[in-house]
Amino acid sequence: MGANEALNTQASGQGFDVARVRSDFPILDVRVNGKHLAYFDNGASAQVPTQVINRLSRYHESEHSNIHRGVHYLSEMATAAYEQARSRLKKFINAAEDREVIFTRGTTNTINLVAQGFGRAFVGAGDEIIVSQMEHHSNIVPWQMLCEEKGATLRVIPMDDSGQLLLDEYQKMLNSRTRLVAVTHVSNVLGTVNPVREMIELAHAQGTPVLLDGAQGVPHMRVDVQDLDCDFYAFSGHKMCGPTGIGVLYGKAELLEKMQPYEGGGSMILSVSFEKTTYAAIPDKFEAGTPPIAAAIGLGEAAEYLESIGMDAITSYEDELLGYATDALSGIDGVRIFGNASDKASVLSFNIEGVHAHDVGTILNDEGVAVRAGHHCAQPLMKRLGVPATVRASLYLYNTTEEVDQLAGAIRRVQQIFG
Ligand code: C6P
């Protein structure tokens, strides 16, 4: 039995049947340049299973209307489906209450909402906000904008060469001026799973709330926001088998209630006059205008889909696949892997000696392999790594060891071409 077969057999033995999972994703049958598509750009956007596609169709075929407004049948159907999606998401991340789940347009929109809603209410001149060296631009720029506006300071937790945050430095940074800690749960470049529980405890000991950027966390592992005790958790639908244009802000009710609204408009008010407007309770206060109704319903279905497979089963399958891929790529001379934290999710960033990441990405595409090449919206991290760009293979539940072999073969092809 080859290593490949052994892994698949073992994985199936644990109840993970990757062939069955793949049959849920029609797009995986697309051929690229006449070759099998090995889709490793899941960190950017994951693919969508038939269950979600069908749910979106059913909504459009028999339930579509605007929500929270109508007294007619379709409006009631759409409202019920939208609110059911909120409940599904609440269950998925184990929030305490439905109203702690706010639908947004995605992680970026969520973090901007908190930067404005929390920042306008609680951050002032001389205050500090802590982020880390490995943040995506979405968890840097909104805080920078807020700091500029308020005269506050952005502080950055450094990391070591393996891609792990220096917790001693973090602890030293926390002080009575720290208003918020905003860190990524999982790095989109290094795959590092940060020790967020410990980081939250340290921040809370100072009375400081914590936002976790869960864009790369929620799709790959069981997230229990009550167990983590995070104050805010941000994520996107399109990285967890859901549609684009939808995401979630989880926030503790007591904090959300104290925050300023982010956008003003319809649906987020109790009453409006030219003299004074009063705001609706959460979650409506943060959902101004017509939300992406279909996308929210699709996201609820995606959460159900992932749960039907089992988040723990997904994590352990991905762990095995990551181990297999790490071995395969480390065995190729001239390949440098970035990020080897002890706790790592299924992201593999690398460079090939003497070849620019974009050229690697282009040739891999010729071989049917889809990866992302570039700075991955993490320029400060690239600077820390001392490279302008990396190639990133981000694995998901439907990837196989055969596809990893295809990736390794394609890398050898790049080396032949650049000889
Ligand atoms: N990272 C990637 O290829 P949006 O675009 O709003 O759905 O998610 C933004 C975002 C925020 N935080 C992290 C850790 C992320 O990885 C992302 C999106 C994609 O890595 C696109 S740049």
Side-chain angles (χ1 to χ4, degrees), residues 110-133:
T110 296
I111 297 174
N112 277 279
L113 187 165
V114 179
Q116 289 302 310
F118 176 88
R120 283 212 308 272
F122 296 112
V123 178
D127 287 343
E128 296 179 358
I129 289 169
I130 297 181
V131 297
S132 87
Q133 179 88 61

Side-chain angles (χ1 to χ4, degrees), residues 334-351:
V335 171
R336 176 182 170 201
I337 293 176
F338 298 90
N340 57 347
S342 53
D343 195 359
K344 188 172 165 176
S346 57
V347 176
L348 203 54
S349 272
F350 62 94
N351 273 338

Side-chain angles (χ1 to χ4, degrees), residues 117-290:
F118 176 88
R120 283 212 308 272
F122 296 112
V123 178
D127 287 343
E128 296 179 358
I129 289 169
I130 297 181
V131 297
S132 87
Q133 179 88 61
M134 64 178 76
E135 298 309 319
H136 185 280
H137 296 164
S138 292
N139 201 28
I140 300 174
V141 185
W143 305 115
Q144 239 166 7
M145 288 161 66
L146 177 71
C147 286
E148 268 173 34
E149 201 180 304
K150 296 285 193 170
T153 305
L154 195 66
R155 306 206 51 193
V156 183
I157 313 165
M159 65 173 212
D160 65 19
D161 291 339
S162 72
Q164 303 191 105
L165 295 179
L166 300 178
L167 287 194
D168 295 354
E169 297 299 320
Y170 166 61
Q171 201 162 358
K172 278 189 236 155
M173 257 174 217
L174 285 163
N175 65 62
S176 60
R177 292 182 304 278
T178 316
R179 287 291 157 266
L180 188 83
V181 174
V183 285
T184 195
H185 190 176
V186 176
S187 160
N188 67 321
V189 176
L190 305 166
T192 309
V193 182
N194 283 316
V196 289
R197 196 193 298 261
E198 196 181 338
M199 295 177 78
I200 290 166
E201 267 174 31
L202 289 168
H204 284 179
Q206 292 276 342
T208 305
V210 178
L211 173 141
L212 296 180
D213 173 349
Q216 305 288 347
V218 139
H220 303 282
M221 61 193 65
R222 179 177 301 287
V223 169
D224 179 332
V225 290
Q226 292 190 75
D227 182 50
L228 286 172
D229 200 23
C230 56
D231 301 276
F232 302 107
Y233 197 96
F235 59 100
S236 301
H238 65 103
K239 296 184 201 291
M240 53 172 282
C241 302
T244 52
I246 186 77
V248 167
L249 161 64
Y250 157 78
K252 285 183 180 163
E254 55 182 322
L255 268 170
L256 292 173
E257 274 166 350
K258 289 183 195 147
M259 280 161 51
Q260 300 287 320
Y262 173 45
E263 293 177 321
S267 301
M268 52 75 75
I269 54 92
L270 274 182
S271 73
V272 178
S273 73
F274 286 116
E275 289 70 42
K276 180 161 178 62
T277 290
T278 53
Y279 305 125
I282 58 168
D284 298 351
K285 182 169 86 173
F286 295 110
E287 292 184 3
T290 300

Side-chain angles (χ1 to χ4, degrees), residues 301-317:
E301 195 66 29
E304 290 283 302
Y305 175 76
L306 291 175
E307 270 188 346
S308 74
I309 293 169
M311 289 312 295
D312 293 338
I314 292 171
T315 308
S316 70
Y317 178 71

